[in-house]
Coordinates of all heavy atoms in Angstrom, one line a residue:
Chain U
M157 N 2.4 -18.9 -4.8 CA 2.7 -17.4 -4.6 C 3.0 -17.1 -3.1 O 3.9 -16.4 -2.8 CB 1.5 -16.5 -5.1 CG 1.3 -16.5 -6.6 SD -0.1 -15.4 -7.0 CE 0.6 -13.7 -6.7
N159 N 4.0 -19.2 -0.7 CA 5.2 -19.8 -0.3 C 6.4 -18.9 -0.7 O 7.4 -18.7 0.0 CB 5.4 -21.2 -0.8 CG 4.6 -22.2 -0.1 OD1 4.2 -21.9 1.0 ND2 4.3 -23.3 -0.7
A160 N 6.3 -18.4 -2.0 CA 7.4 -17.6 -2.5 C 7.6 -16.3 -1.7 O 8.7 -15.9 -1.3 CB 7.2 -17.3 -4.0
V161 N 6.4 -15.7 -1.4 CA 6.5 -14.4 -0.6 C 7.0 -14.6 0.8 O 7.8 -13.9 1.4 CB 5.2 -13.6 -0.7 CG1 5.2 -12.4 0.2 CG2 4.8 -13.2 -2.1
S162 N 6.4 -15.7 1.4 CA 6.9 -16.0 2.8 C 8.4 -16.2 2.9 O 9.0 -15.7 3.8 CB 6.2 -17.4 3.3 OG 5.0 -17.1 4.0
S163 N 9.0 -16.9 1.9 CA 10.4 -17.1 2.0 C 11.2 -15.8 1.7 O 12.2 -15.6 2.2 CB 10.8 -18.3 1.2 OG 11.1 -17.9 -0.2
M164 N 10.6 -14.9 0.9 CA 11.2 -13.6 0.7 C 11.2 -12.8 2.0 O 12.2 -12.2 2.3 CB 10.4 -12.8 -0.4 CG 10.7 -13.3 -1.8 SD 9.5 -12.5 -3.0 CE 9.8 -10.8 -2.8
I165 N 10.1 -12.9 2.8 CA 10.1 -12.2 4.0 C 11.1 -12.7 5.0 O 11.9 -11.9 5.6 CB 8.6 -12.3 4.7 CG1 7.6 -11.5 3.8 CG2 8.6 -11.7 6.1 CD1 6.2 -11.6 4.3
K166 N 11.2 -14.0 5.1 CA 12.2 -14.6 6.0 C 13.6 -14.1 5.6 O 14.4 -13.7 6.4 CB 12.1 -16.1 5.8 CG 12.7 -16.9 7.0 CD 12.7 -18.4 6.7 CE 11.5 -19.2 7.0 NZ 10.9 -19.1 8.4
D167 N 13.9 -14.2 4.3 CA 15.3 -13.9 3.8 C 15.6 -12.4 3.9 O 16.7 -12.0 4.2 CB 15.4 -14.3 2.3 CG 15.5 -15.8 2.2 OD1 15.7 -16.5 3.3 OD2 15.4 -16.4 1.1
V168 N 14.6 -11.5 3.7 CA 14.9 -10.1 3.7 C 15.2 -9.7 5.2 O 16.0 -8.7 5.4 CB 13.7 -9.3 3.1 CG1 12.6 -9.0 4.1 CG2 14.3 -7.9 2.6
A171 N 18.6 -10.6 5.7 CA 19.5 -9.7 5.0 C 19.7 -8.4 5.9 O 20.7 -7.8 6.0 CB 18.9 -9.3 3.7
A178 N 23.8 -8.5 -0.9 CA 23.6 -9.5 -2.0 C 22.3 -10.3 -1.7 O 21.5 -10.5 -2.6 CB 24.8 -10.5 -2.0
K179 N 22.1 -10.6 -0.4 CA 20.8 -11.3 -0.1 C 19.6 -10.4 -0.3 O 18.6 -10.9 -0.8 CB 20.9 -11.8 1.4 CG 19.7 -12.7 1.8 CD 19.9 -13.3 3.2 CE 20.8 -14.5 3.1 NZ 20.6 -15.5 4.1
A180 N 19.7 -9.1 0.0 CA 18.6 -8.2 -0.2 C 18.3 -8.1 -1.7 O 17.2 -8.0 -2.2 CB 18.9 -6.8 0.4
E181 N 19.4 -8.0 -2.5 CA 19.2 -7.9 -4.0 C 18.5 -9.2 -4.5 O 17.7 -9.1 -5.5 CB 20.5 -7.7 -4.7 CG 20.9 -6.2 -4.7 CD 22.3 -5.9 -5.1 OE1 23.1 -6.8 -5.3 OE2 22.6 -4.7 -5.2
D182 N 18.9 -10.3 -3.9 CA 18.3 -11.6 -4.4 C 16.8 -11.6 -4.1 O 16.0 -12.0 -5.0 CB 19.0 -12.8 -3.6 CG 18.4 -14.1 -4.0 OD1 18.4 -14.4 -5.2 OD2 17.9 -14.8 -3.1
V183 N 16.4 -11.1 -2.9 CA 15.0 -11.0 -2.6 C 14.3 -10.1 -3.6 O 13.2 -10.4 -4.1 CB 14.8 -10.4 -1.2 CG1 13.3 -10.1 -0.9 CG2 15.3 -11.5 -0.1
R184 N 14.9 -9.0 -3.9 CA 14.3 -8.0 -4.9 C 14.1 -8.7 -6.2 O 13.1 -8.5 -6.9 CB 15.3 -6.9 -5.0 CG 14.8 -5.6 -5.6 CD 15.7 -4.5 -5.3 NE 15.4 -3.3 -6.1 CZ 16.0 -2.9 -7.2 NH1 17.1 -3.6 -7.7 NH2 15.6 -1.8 -7.8
D185 N 15.1 -9.5 -6.6 CA 15.0 -10.2 -7.9 C 13.9 -11.2 -7.9 O 13.2 -11.4 -8.9 CB 16.3 -10.8 -8.3 CG 17.4 -9.8 -8.6 OD1 17.0 -8.7 -8.9 OD2 18.6 -10.2 -8.6
R186 N 13.7 -11.9 -6.8 CA 12.7 -13.0 -6.7 C 11.3 -12.4 -6.8 O 10.4 -13.2 -7.1 CB 12.9 -13.8 -5.4 CG 13.9 -14.9 -5.6 CD 14.7 -15.2 -4.3 NE 13.8 -15.7 -3.3 CZ 14.2 -15.7 -2.0 NH1 15.4 -15.4 -1.6 NH2 13.3 -16.1 -1.1
D187 N 11.1 -11.1 -6.6 CA 9.8 -10.6 -6.7 C 9.3 -10.8 -8.2 O 8.1 -10.9 -8.4 CB 9.7 -9.1 -6.3 CG 8.3 -8.6 -6.2 OD1 7.5 -9.4 -5.6 OD2 8.0 -7.5 -6.6
N188 N 10.2 -10.8 -9.1 CA 9.8 -11.0 -10.5 C 9.1 -12.4 -10.7 O 8.1 -12.5 -11.5 CB 11.0 -11.0 -11.4 CG 11.5 -9.6 -11.6 OD1 10.7 -8.6 -11.5 ND2 12.8 -9.4 -11.9
Q189 N 9.5 -13.4 -9.9 CA 8.9 -14.7 -10.0 C 7.5 -14.6 -9.5 O 6.6 -15.3 -10.1 CB 9.7 -15.7 -9.2 CG 11.1 -16.0 -9.9 CD 12.0 -16.7 -8.9 OE1 11.5 -17.5 -8.0 NE2 13.3 -16.5 -9.0
V190 N 7.3 -13.9 -8.4 CA 5.9 -13.7 -7.9 C 5.1 -13.1 -8.9 O 3.9 -13.5 -9.1 CB 6.0 -13.0 -6.5 CG1 4.6 -12.7 -6.0 CG2 6.8 -13.7 -5.5
D191 N 5.6 -12.0 -9.5 CA 4.8 -11.3 -10.5 C 4.4 -12.2 -11.7 O 3.3 -12.2 -12.2 CB 5.6 -10.1 -11.1 CG 5.8 -9.0 -10.0 OD1 5.0 -9.0 -9.0 OD2 6.6 -8.0 -10.2
E192 N 5.4 -13.1 -12.1 CA 5.1 -14.0 -13.2 C 4.0 -15.0 -12.8 O 3.1 -15.3 -13.6 CB 6.4 -14.8 -13.6 CG 7.1 -14.0 -14.7 CD 8.6 -14.4 -14.8 OE1 8.9 -15.6 -14.6 OE2 9.4 -13.5 -15.1
M193 N 4.1 -15.5 -11.5 CA 3.0 -16.4 -11.1 C 1.7 -15.7 -11.1 O 0.7 -16.3 -11.5 CB 3.3 -16.9 -9.6 CG 4.5 -17.8 -9.5 SD 4.6 -18.5 -7.8 CE 6.3 -18.1 -7.4
G229 N 4.5 -9.1 -1.9 CA 5.8 -9.3 -2.6 C 6.4 -7.9 -2.8 O 7.6 -7.7 -2.5
D230 N 5.6 -6.9 -3.2 CA 6.0 -5.6 -3.4 C 6.5 -4.9 -2.1 O 7.6 -4.2 -2.1 CB 4.9 -4.7 -4.0 CG 4.6 -5.0 -5.5 OD1 5.4 -5.8 -6.1 OD2 3.6 -4.6 -6.0
T232 N 7.7 -6.5 0.4 CA 8.9 -7.2 0.8 C 10.1 -6.6 0.0 O 11.2 -6.4 0.5 CB 8.7 -8.7 0.6 OG1 7.5 -9.1 1.2 CG2 9.9 -9.5 1.2
T233 N 9.8 -6.3 -1.2 CA 10.8 -5.7 -2.1 C 11.2 -4.3 -1.6 O 12.4 -4.0 -1.6 CB 10.3 -5.6 -3.5 OG1 9.9 -6.9 -4.0 CG2 11.3 -5.0 -4.5
A236 N 13.6 -4.9 1.1 CA 14.9 -5.2 0.5 C 15.6 -3.9 0.1 O 16.8 -3.7 0.3 CB 14.7 -6.2 -0.6
R252 N 13.9 -1.6 -12.0 CA 13.8 -3.0 -11.9 C 12.8 -3.5 -12.9 O 11.7 -2.9 -13.0 CB 13.3 -3.3 -10.4 CG 13.1 -4.8 -10.2 CD 12.7 -5.0 -8.7 NE 11.4 -4.5 -8.5 CZ 10.3 -5.4 -8.6 NH1 10.5 -6.6 -8.9 NH2 9.1 -4.9 -8.4
P253 N 13.1 -4.5 -13.7 CA 12.1 -4.9 -14.7 C 10.8 -5.3 -14.0 O 10.8 -6.3 -13.2 CB 12.8 -6.1 -15.3 CG 13.9 -6.5 -14.4 CD 14.3 -5.3 -13.6
S255 N 7.3 -7.1 -13.7 CA 6.8 -8.3 -14.4 C 5.3 -8.5 -14.3 O 4.8 -9.5 -14.7 CB 7.6 -9.5 -14.0 OG 8.9 -9.4 -14.1

Side-chain angles (χ1 to χ4, degrees):
Chain U
M157 287 181 74
N159 284 340
V161 173
S162 266
S163 85
M164 282 167 66
I165 293 179
K166 200 187 276 306
D167 289 347
V168 84
K179 188 171 278 205
E181 277 169 352
D182 177 58
V183 168
R184 193 166 173 256
D185 291 341
R186 273 151 59 195
D187 192 42
N188 285 335
Q189 292 165 29
V190 176
D191 289 348
E192 272 161 31
M193 289 188 232
D230 290 345
T232 311
T233 303
R252 181 176 72 92
S255 306

